[in-house]
Structures are given as structure tokens and as C-alpha cells.
Amino acid sequence: MARRSLAQTFWGLFLALLNATLVLAALCLWFAWGALSAADRVSGQINEAAQTVLPLRGEIATLTAEIAAARADLAALPPGGTEAAALQARLAGIEMRMAELSASVSTLTADPDALIDRAVSLAFTGLGDAMAQAIAALRATP
């Protein structure tokens, strides 16, 4: 067997380290590409959901106006009727639910970027957990 010089040994070690580095860089780029494509999909889905919610704002305003008109008609009825009181209580409950719905819709439409940022951060957190589990599994195998 031929003797190798120290320079040849270091050159072989350098090439092995370069090869390992390039493989790790390619793997990291592949994972980053997968994470960014997942974030892009989530962003698109949130955008579609926000677009379906936007028309609800007009409908909520219309329903709120109709409830106010019904309440005005009820106030014109003679007082003392139990049906009128029950109807007013029902209208109050509906108004409360409409206010809650209006508030939730306005938070969605006010800052959709915050929703996208939250979804992206959750996607990256999930990716980080998956990577940690994969690395732990690789370390556990003999």
C-alpha cells in the first residue's frame, strides 16, 4: 500500500468536509423551500377566507338596521303585552350576537396581515418541531 502524504490526507479531508457542507446546505434549502411554499399556501387560504368574510360586513349592517326598525315598530305597539316584551328580549339577544359577529368580522378585515403572520409563524413552528423529531430519530438509530 502506498503511503499518503500529509497534504493528500488534508486535501481528502477538505473535500469530504466540503461535500458534507454542500449536502447540508442543499438539505436546508429544500426544507426552507418547503416551509415557504407551505406559508404561501396558508397565506392564500387566509386571503380566500377573508374575501368570503368581506361581503358579510354589508349584510351585518343591513340586519342591524332591520333590527333597529323592528325595535322601533315594537316601541309603537301598546305597552303591557307579554308577546311584545318577549319579542324585545329576543331582539336584544339577536343584537348582542350581531355585535359580536360584527366585532369578529371587523378584526378579520382590519388586519389580515396579522392573521397571515400568525399562520406563517405557526407553520414554521410546526416545521421546527418536525425537524427536531427527525433529528432525534436519526440520533436514536444506532
Side-chain angles (χ1 to χ4, degrees), residues 50-113:
Q51 293 303 321
T52 58
V53 169
L54 285 176
L56 292 178
R57 290 179 69 181
E59 292 179 25
I60 289 172
T62 302
L63 287 174
T64 304
E66 288 179 14
I67 290 172
R71 187 172 290 279
D73 289 343
L74 275 175
L77 290 177
T82 58
E83 294 174 359
L87 197 53
Q88 283 183 349
R90 236 174 114 191
L91 280 175
I94 291 171
E95 282 179 334
M96 185 176 67
R97 285 183 279 177
M98 290 293 289
E100 291 171 0
L101 183 61
S102 178
S104 64
V105 167
S106 65
T107 58
L108 282 177
T109 57
D111 196 12
D113 291 335

Short mmCIF file of all heavy atoms in Angstrom, two decimals, residues 50-113:
data_model
loop_
_atom_site.label_atom_id
_atom_site.label_comp_id
_atom_site.label_asym_id
_atom_site.label_seq_id
_atom_site.Cartn_x
_atom_site.Cartn_y
_atom_site.Cartn_z
N ALA A 50 -60.70 35.58 4.00
CA ALA A 50 -61.01 36.99 4.24
C ALA A 50 -61.91 37.54 3.14
O ALA A 50 -62.80 38.35 3.42
CB ALA A 50 -59.71 37.79 4.33
N GLN A 51 -61.70 37.10 1.91
CA GLN A 51 -62.54 37.58 0.81
C GLN A 51 -63.98 37.08 0.95
O GLN A 51 -64.91 37.75 0.52
CB GLN A 51 -61.97 37.16 -0.54
CG GLN A 51 -60.65 37.82 -0.87
CD GLN A 51 -60.74 39.33 -0.86
OE1 GLN A 51 -61.71 39.91 -1.31
NE2 GLN A 51 -59.71 39.98 -0.32
N THR A 52 -64.17 35.91 1.54
CA THR A 52 -65.53 35.42 1.75
C THR A 52 -66.20 36.12 2.92
O THR A 52 -67.43 36.22 2.98
CB THR A 52 -65.56 33.90 1.99
OG1 THR A 52 -64.75 33.58 3.12
CG2 THR A 52 -65.06 33.15 0.78
N VAL A 53 -65.40 36.63 3.86
CA VAL A 53 -65.95 37.30 5.03
C VAL A 53 -66.32 38.75 4.72
O VAL A 53 -67.26 39.29 5.29
CB VAL A 53 -64.95 37.22 6.20
CG1 VAL A 53 -65.35 38.11 7.35
CG2 VAL A 53 -64.83 35.77 6.68
N LEU A 54 -65.62 39.37 3.79
CA LEU A 54 -65.86 40.78 3.50
C LEU A 54 -67.31 41.10 3.12
O LEU A 54 -67.86 42.10 3.60
CB LEU A 54 -64.90 41.27 2.40
CG LEU A 54 -63.47 41.50 2.85
CD1 LEU A 54 -62.61 41.88 1.65
CD2 LEU A 54 -63.39 42.57 3.90
N PRO A 55 -67.98 40.31 2.29
CA PRO A 55 -69.39 40.63 1.98
C PRO A 55 -70.31 40.55 3.19
O PRO A 55 -71.38 41.15 3.20
CB PRO A 55 -69.78 39.58 0.94
CG PRO A 55 -68.50 39.10 0.35
CD PRO A 55 -67.49 39.24 1.44
N LEU A 56 -69.90 39.84 4.22
CA LEU A 56 -70.74 39.73 5.41
C LEU A 56 -70.89 41.06 6.14
O LEU A 56 -71.89 41.28 6.83
CB LEU A 56 -70.15 38.69 6.37
CG LEU A 56 -70.20 37.24 5.91
CD1 LEU A 56 -69.54 36.33 6.93
CD2 LEU A 56 -71.63 36.80 5.68
N ARG A 57 -69.91 41.94 5.98
CA ARG A 57 -69.99 43.23 6.67
C ARG A 57 -71.22 44.01 6.23
O ARG A 57 -71.94 44.59 7.06
CB ARG A 57 -68.74 44.05 6.41
CG ARG A 57 -67.53 43.50 7.09
CD ARG A 57 -66.31 44.32 6.81
NE ARG A 57 -66.44 45.61 7.46
CZ ARG A 57 -65.53 46.55 7.37
NH1 ARG A 57 -64.46 46.35 6.65
NH2 ARG A 57 -65.69 47.69 7.99
N GLY A 58 -71.48 44.03 4.94
CA GLY A 58 -72.67 44.74 4.43
C GLY A 58 -73.95 44.10 4.91
O GLY A 58 -74.91 44.79 5.28
N GLU A 59 -73.98 42.78 4.92
CA GLU A 59 -75.17 42.07 5.39
C GLU A 59 -75.41 42.31 6.87
O GLU A 59 -76.56 42.44 7.31
CB GLU A 59 -75.04 40.59 5.09
CG GLU A 59 -75.07 40.25 3.61
CD GLU A 59 -74.92 38.77 3.35
OE1 GLU A 59 -75.24 37.96 4.23
OE2 GLU A 59 -74.49 38.44 2.24
N ILE A 60 -74.33 42.37 7.64
CA ILE A 60 -74.47 42.64 9.07
C ILE A 60 -75.03 44.03 9.29
O ILE A 60 -75.91 44.24 10.14
CB ILE A 60 -73.11 42.46 9.79
CG1 ILE A 60 -72.73 40.98 9.83
CG2 ILE A 60 -73.15 43.03 11.20
CD1 ILE A 60 -71.33 40.72 10.34
N ALA A 61 -74.57 44.99 8.52
CA ALA A 61 -75.09 46.36 8.65
C ALA A 61 -76.57 46.40 8.28
O ALA A 61 -77.37 47.07 8.96
CB ALA A 61 -74.28 47.30 7.77
N THR A 62 -76.96 45.68 7.24
CA THR A 62 -78.36 45.64 6.83
C THR A 62 -79.23 45.01 7.91
O THR A 62 -80.30 45.52 8.25
CB THR A 62 -78.50 44.86 5.51
OG1 THR A 62 -77.68 45.47 4.52
CG2 THR A 62 -79.94 44.84 5.04
N LEU A 63 -78.76 43.88 8.45
CA LEU A 63 -79.52 43.22 9.51
C LEU A 63 -79.62 44.08 10.76
O LEU A 63 -80.67 44.10 11.43
CB LEU A 63 -78.88 41.87 9.85
CG LEU A 63 -79.07 40.77 8.81
CD1 LEU A 63 -78.27 39.53 9.19
CD2 LEU A 63 -80.53 40.41 8.69
N THR A 64 -78.56 44.80 11.08
CA THR A 64 -78.61 45.68 12.24
C THR A 64 -79.65 46.78 12.03
O THR A 64 -80.40 47.13 12.96
CB THR A 64 -77.22 46.29 12.49
OG1 THR A 64 -76.27 45.24 12.65
CG2 THR A 64 -77.20 47.15 13.73
N ALA A 65 -79.71 47.32 10.83
CA ALA A 65 -80.71 48.36 10.53
C ALA A 65 -82.12 47.78 10.61
O ALA A 65 -83.04 48.43 11.13
CB ALA A 65 -80.45 48.95 9.15
N GLU A 66 -82.31 46.56 10.12
CA GLU A 66 -83.63 45.93 10.19
C GLU A 66 -84.04 45.65 11.63
O GLU A 66 -85.21 45.81 12.01
CB GLU A 66 -83.64 44.63 9.38
CG GLU A 66 -83.60 44.86 7.88
CD GLU A 66 -83.57 43.55 7.10
OE1 GLU A 66 -83.84 42.48 7.69
OE2 GLU A 66 -83.29 43.62 5.90
N ILE A 67 -83.08 45.26 12.45
CA ILE A 67 -83.39 45.02 13.87
C ILE A 67 -83.78 46.33 14.55
O ILE A 67 -84.73 46.37 15.35
CB ILE A 67 -82.20 44.34 14.57
CG1 ILE A 67 -82.05 42.90 14.08
CG2 ILE A 67 -82.36 44.37 16.08
CD1 ILE A 67 -80.79 42.22 14.57
N ALA A 68 -83.07 47.39 14.22
CA ALA A 68 -83.42 48.70 14.80
C ALA A 68 -84.82 49.12 14.36
O ALA A 68 -85.60 49.67 15.16
CB ALA A 68 -82.39 49.74 14.39
N ALA A 69 -85.18 48.86 13.10
CA ALA A 69 -86.52 49.20 12.62
C ALA A 69 -87.57 48.35 13.32
O ALA A 69 -88.65 48.86 13.69
CB ALA A 69 -86.60 48.99 11.10
N ALA A 70 -87.29 47.07 13.54
CA ALA A 70 -88.24 46.20 14.25
C ALA A 70 -88.40 46.66 15.69
O ALA A 70 -89.51 46.62 16.24
CB ALA A 70 -87.75 44.76 14.20
N ARG A 71 -87.31 47.10 16.30
CA ARG A 71 -87.40 47.60 17.67
C ARG A 71 -88.25 48.88 17.72
O ARG A 71 -89.04 49.08 18.65
CB ARG A 71 -86.01 47.86 18.22
CG ARG A 71 -86.02 48.21 19.69
CD ARG A 71 -84.64 48.28 20.27
NE ARG A 71 -83.99 46.99 20.39
CZ ARG A 71 -84.21 46.13 21.37
NH1 ARG A 71 -85.10 46.40 22.31
NH2 ARG A 71 -83.57 44.99 21.43
N ALA A 72 -88.12 49.73 16.71
CA ALA A 72 -88.93 50.95 16.66
C ALA A 72 -90.41 50.60 16.47
O ALA A 72 -91.29 51.22 17.09
CB ALA A 72 -88.45 51.85 15.53
N ASP A 73 -90.69 49.60 15.64
CA ASP A 73 -92.09 49.16 15.46
C ASP A 73 -92.64 48.59 16.75
O ASP A 73 -93.83 48.79 17.07
CB ASP A 73 -92.17 48.12 14.34
CG ASP A 73 -91.92 48.72 12.97
OD1 ASP A 73 -92.00 49.96 12.83
OD2 ASP A 73 -91.64 47.93 12.03
N LEU A 74 -91.80 47.85 17.49
CA LEU A 74 -92.26 47.29 18.76
C LEU A 74 -92.53 48.40 19.78
O LEU A 74 -93.46 48.28 20.59
CB LEU A 74 -91.20 46.34 19.33
CG LEU A 74 -91.25 44.92 18.83
CD1 LEU A 74 -90.09 44.11 19.38
CD2 LEU A 74 -92.56 44.25 19.22
N ALA A 75 -91.76 49.45 19.74
CA ALA A 75 -91.97 50.55 20.68
C ALA A 75 -93.29 51.25 20.39
O ALA A 75 -93.91 51.83 21.29
CB ALA A 75 -90.81 51.53 20.61
N ALA A 76 -93.74 51.19 19.15
CA ALA A 76 -95.01 51.84 18.77
C ALA A 76 -96.21 51.02 19.22
O ALA A 76 -97.33 51.55 19.28
CB ALA A 76 -95.06 52.05 17.26
N LEU A 77 -96.00 49.74 19.53
CA LEU A 77 -97.12 48.89 19.99
C LEU A 77 -97.55 49.30 21.39
O LEU A 77 -96.76 49.86 22.15
CB LEU A 77 -96.69 47.42 19.99
CG LEU A 77 -96.47 46.77 18.62
CD1 LEU A 77 -95.98 45.34 18.82
CD2 LEU A 77 -97.75 46.77 17.81
N PRO A 78 -98.79 48.99 21.74
CA PRO A 78 -99.24 49.34 23.09
C PRO A 78 -98.45 48.56 24.15
O PRO A 78 -98.15 47.38 23.97
CB PRO A 78 -100.71 48.94 23.11
CG PRO A 78 -100.96 48.13 21.89
CD PRO A 78 -99.84 48.36 20.95
N PRO A 79 -98.06 49.24 25.21
CA PRO A 79 -97.27 48.57 26.26
C PRO A 79 -98.10 47.58 27.06
O PRO A 79 -99.32 47.62 27.07
CB PRO A 79 -96.81 49.73 27.14
CG PRO A 79 -97.80 50.81 26.93
CD PRO A 79 -98.34 50.64 25.54
N GLY A 80 -97.41 46.68 27.76
CA GLY A 80 -98.06 45.74 28.64
C GLY A 80 -98.26 44.37 28.04
O GLY A 80 -98.65 43.44 28.74
N GLY A 81 -98.00 44.18 26.77
CA GLY A 81 -98.16 42.87 26.16
C GLY A 81 -96.96 41.98 26.45
O GLY A 81 -95.81 42.41 26.37
N THR A 82 -97.25 40.75 26.83
CA THR A 82 -96.14 39.83 27.13
C THR A 82 -95.42 39.41 25.86
O THR A 82 -94.22 39.15 25.89
CB THR A 82 -96.66 38.58 27.87
OG1 THR A 82 -97.64 37.94 27.05
CG2 THR A 82 -97.25 38.94 29.21
N GLU A 83 -96.16 39.38 24.77
CA GLU A 83 -95.53 39.00 23.50
C GLU A 83 -94.54 40.07 23.06
O GLU A 83 -93.46 39.76 22.56
CB GLU A 83 -96.59 38.80 22.42
CG GLU A 83 -97.50 37.62 22.67
CD GLU A 83 -98.63 37.55 21.66
OE1 GLU A 83 -98.71 38.42 20.78
OE2 GLU A 83 -99.42 36.61 21.74
N ALA A 84 -94.90 41.33 23.27
CA ALA A 84 -94.00 42.43 22.89
C ALA A 84 -92.73 42.38 23.74
O ALA A 84 -91.63 42.60 23.23
CB ALA A 84 -94.70 43.77 23.03
N ALA A 85 -92.88 42.11 25.02
CA ALA A 85 -91.71 42.03 25.90
C ALA A 85 -90.81 40.85 25.52
O ALA A 85 -89.58 40.98 25.51
CB ALA A 85 -92.16 41.90 27.35
N ALA A 86 -91.43 39.73 25.19
CA ALA A 86 -90.64 38.57 24.78
C ALA A 86 -89.92 38.84 23.47
O ALA A 86 -88.75 38.47 23.28
CB ALA A 86 -91.54 37.34 24.65
N LEU A 87 -90.60 39.51 22.56
CA LEU A 87 -90.00 39.86 21.28
C LEU A 87 -88.87 40.85 21.46
O LEU A 87 -87.83 40.74 20.79
CB LEU A 87 -91.07 40.40 20.33
CG LEU A 87 -90.73 40.43 18.85
CD1 LEU A 87 -90.27 39.06 18.36
CD2 LEU A 87 -91.90 40.90 18.04
N GLN A 88 -89.03 41.81 22.37
CA GLN A 88 -87.95 42.75 22.64
C GLN A 88 -86.74 42.05 23.25
O GLN A 88 -85.59 42.37 22.91
CB GLN A 88 -88.43 43.87 23.56
CG GLN A 88 -89.28 44.90 22.86
CD GLN A 88 -89.69 46.04 23.78
OE1 GLN A 88 -89.50 45.98 24.98
NE2 GLN A 88 -90.25 47.08 23.18
N ALA A 89 -86.97 41.09 24.13
CA ALA A 89 -85.86 40.34 24.71
C ALA A 89 -85.13 39.53 23.64
O ALA A 89 -83.90 39.44 23.63
CB ALA A 89 -86.37 39.42 25.82
N ARG A 90 -85.91 38.94 22.73
CA ARG A 90 -85.31 38.19 21.62
C ARG A 90 -84.49 39.09 20.71
O ARG A 90 -83.39 38.74 20.29
CB ARG A 90 -86.40 37.52 20.82
CG ARG A 90 -86.24 36.03 20.71
CD ARG A 90 -87.41 35.42 20.04
NE ARG A 90 -86.97 34.88 18.76
CZ ARG A 90 -87.73 34.44 17.82
NH1 ARG A 90 -89.03 34.54 17.95
NH2 ARG A 90 -87.25 33.94 16.73
N LEU A 91 -85.02 40.25 20.42
CA LEU A 91 -84.30 41.21 19.60
C LEU A 91 -83.01 41.67 20.28
O LEU A 91 -81.98 41.88 19.64
CB LEU A 91 -85.17 42.41 19.25
CG LEU A 91 -86.16 42.22 18.11
CD1 LEU A 91 -87.03 43.45 17.96
CD2 LEU A 91 -85.44 41.92 16.82
N ALA A 92 -83.05 41.84 21.58
CA ALA A 92 -81.85 42.24 22.33
C ALA A 92 -80.77 41.15 22.22
O ALA A 92 -79.58 41.45 22.04
CB ALA A 92 -82.19 42.51 23.78
N GLY A 93 -81.19 39.89 22.33
CA GLY A 93 -80.24 38.79 22.17
C GLY A 93 -79.64 38.74 20.77
O GLY A 93 -78.44 38.52 20.59
N ILE A 94 -80.49 38.97 19.77
CA ILE A 94 -80.01 38.97 18.38
C ILE A 94 -79.05 40.13 18.17
O ILE A 94 -78.01 39.97 17.52
CB ILE A 94 -81.21 39.04 17.41
CG1 ILE A 94 -82.00 37.74 17.46
CG2 ILE A 94 -80.73 39.32 15.99
CD1 ILE A 94 -83.31 37.79 16.68
N GLU A 95 -79.36 41.30 18.72
CA GLU A 95 -78.46 42.45 18.59
C GLU A 95 -77.11 42.17 19.22
O GLU A 95 -76.07 42.55 18.69
CB GLU A 95 -79.08 43.69 19.23
CG GLU A 95 -80.14 44.35 18.39
CD GLU A 95 -80.73 45.57 19.09
OE1 GLU A 95 -80.71 45.63 20.33
OE2 GLU A 95 -81.19 46.46 18.36
N MET A 96 -77.13 41.48 20.37
CA MET A 96 -75.88 41.17 21.04
C MET A 96 -75.04 40.22 20.19
O MET A 96 -73.83 40.42 20.00
CB MET A 96 -76.15 40.54 22.41
CG MET A 96 -74.89 40.30 23.22
SD MET A 96 -75.22 39.67 24.87
CE MET A 96 -75.89 38.05 24.50
N ARG A 97 -75.66 39.19 19.61
CA ARG A 97 -74.92 38.27 18.75
C ARG A 97 -74.44 38.96 17.48
O ARG A 97 -73.33 38.69 17.00
CB ARG A 97 -75.78 37.06 18.41
CG ARG A 97 -75.89 36.09 19.60
CD ARG A 97 -76.67 34.88 19.21
NE ARG A 97 -78.09 35.28 19.31
CZ ARG A 97 -79.11 34.53 19.00
NH1 ARG A 97 -78.92 33.32 18.55
NH2 ARG A 97 -80.34 34.96 19.13
N MET A 98 -75.24 39.87 16.94
CA MET A 98 -74.82 40.63 15.75
C MET A 98 -73.62 41.51 16.08
O MET A 98 -72.71 41.65 15.27
CB MET A 98 -75.98 41.48 15.23
CG MET A 98 -77.10 40.69 14.60
SD MET A 98 -76.58 39.90 13.09
CE MET A 98 -76.43 41.32 12.05
N ALA A 99 -73.60 42.10 17.27
CA ALA A 99 -72.47 42.94 17.66
C ALA A 99 -71.19 42.10 17.79
O ALA A 99 -70.12 42.52 17.37
CB ALA A 99 -72.77 43.65 18.98
N GLU A 100 -71.34 40.90 18.36
CA GLU A 100 -70.18 40.01 18.47
C GLU A 100 -69.68 39.59 17.09
O GLU A 100 -68.47 39.58 16.83
CB GLU A 100 -70.54 38.76 19.28
CG GLU A 100 -70.79 39.01 20.74
CD GLU A 100 -71.36 37.79 21.46
OE1 GLU A 100 -71.57 36.74 20.82
OE2 GLU A 100 -71.60 37.91 22.67
N LEU A 101 -70.59 39.25 16.20
CA LEU A 101 -70.23 38.87 14.84
C LEU A 101 -69.58 40.03 14.10
O LEU A 101 -68.58 39.86 13.41
CB LEU A 101 -71.46 38.38 14.08
CG LEU A 101 -71.24 37.88 12.66
CD1 LEU A 101 -70.30 36.68 12.66
CD2 LEU A 101 -72.55 37.51 12.02
N SER A 102 -70.13 41.21 14.27
CA SER A 102 -69.56 42.40 13.64
C SER A 102 -68.16 42.67 14.16
O SER A 102 -67.26 43.02 13.38
CB SER A 102 -70.46 43.60 13.90
OG SER A 102 -69.91 44.75 13.33
N ALA A 103 -67.95 42.50 15.44
CA ALA A 103 -66.61 42.71 16.01
C ALA A 103 -65.62 41.69 15.47
O ALA A 103 -64.48 42.04 15.14
CB ALA A 103 -66.68 42.63 17.54
N SER A 104 -66.03 40.43 15.37
CA SER A 104 -65.11 39.41 14.85
C SER A 104 -64.80 39.63 13.38
O SER A 104 -63.67 39.45 12.94
CB SER A 104 -65.66 38.01 15.08
OG SER A 104 -66.84 37.82 14.35
N VAL A 105 -65.81 40.05 12.60
CA VAL A 105 -65.57 40.33 11.18
C VAL A 105 -64.67 41.54 11.03
O VAL A 105 -63.76 41.56 10.19
CB VAL A 105 -66.91 40.51 10.44
CG1 VAL A 105 -66.69 41.11 9.06
CG2 VAL A 105 -67.62 39.19 10.31
N SER A 106 -64.87 42.55 11.86
CA SER A 106 -64.03 43.75 11.74
C SER A 106 -62.59 43.47 12.13
O SER A 106 -61.67 44.04 11.55
CB SER A 106 -64.60 44.90 12.55
OG SER A 106 -64.55 44.60 13.92
N THR A 107 -62.35 42.56 13.07
CA THR A 107 -60.97 42.21 13.41
C THR A 107 -60.33 41.43 12.28
O THR A 107 -59.13 41.56 12.03
CB THR A 107 -60.88 41.40 14.71
OG1 THR A 107 -61.67 40.22 14.59
CG2 THR A 107 -61.33 42.21 15.90
N LEU A 108 -61.11 40.61 11.58
CA LEU A 108 -60.56 39.88 10.44
C LEU A 108 -60.19 40.81 9.31
O LEU A 108 -59.16 40.67 8.67
CB LEU A 108 -61.57 38.85 9.94
CG LEU A 108 -61.72 37.56 10.71
CD1 LEU A 108 -62.81 36.72 10.10
CD2 LEU A 108 -60.43 36.79 10.74
N THR A 109 -61.08 41.76 9.04
CA THR A 109 -60.84 42.65 7.90
C THR A 109 -59.91 43.79 8.24
O THR A 109 -59.29 44.37 7.36
CB THR A 109 -62.16 43.20 7.36
OG1 THR A 109 -62.84 43.89 8.41
CG2 THR A 109 -63.04 42.09 6.82
N ALA A 110 -59.80 44.13 9.51
CA ALA A 110 -58.96 45.27 9.90
C ALA A 110 -57.48 44.95 9.69
O ALA A 110 -56.72 45.79 9.23
CB ALA A 110 -59.22 45.65 11.35
N ASP A 111 -57.05 43.74 10.03
CA ASP A 111 -55.64 43.42 9.95
C ASP A 111 -55.44 41.99 9.47
O ASP A 111 -55.08 41.12 10.25
CB ASP A 111 -54.98 43.64 11.31
CG ASP A 111 -53.48 43.71 11.22
OD1 ASP A 111 -52.96 43.82 10.09
OD2 ASP A 111 -52.82 43.65 12.26
N PRO A 112 -55.67 41.72 8.17
CA PRO A 112 -55.45 40.36 7.68
C PRO A 112 -53.97 39.98 7.68
O PRO A 112 -53.63 38.80 7.75
CB PRO A 112 -56.02 40.39 6.26
CG PRO A 112 -56.02 41.82 5.87
CD PRO A 112 -56.18 42.59 7.14
N ASP A 113 -53.08 40.98 7.66
CA ASP A 113 -51.65 40.68 7.71
C ASP A 113 -51.26 40.02 9.03
O ASP A 113 -50.39 39.16 9.06
CB ASP A 113 -50.83 41.95 7.50
CG ASP A 113 -50.96 42.48 6.08
OD1 ASP A 113 -51.25 41.65 5.18
OD2 ASP A 113 -50.78 43.69 5.89
#
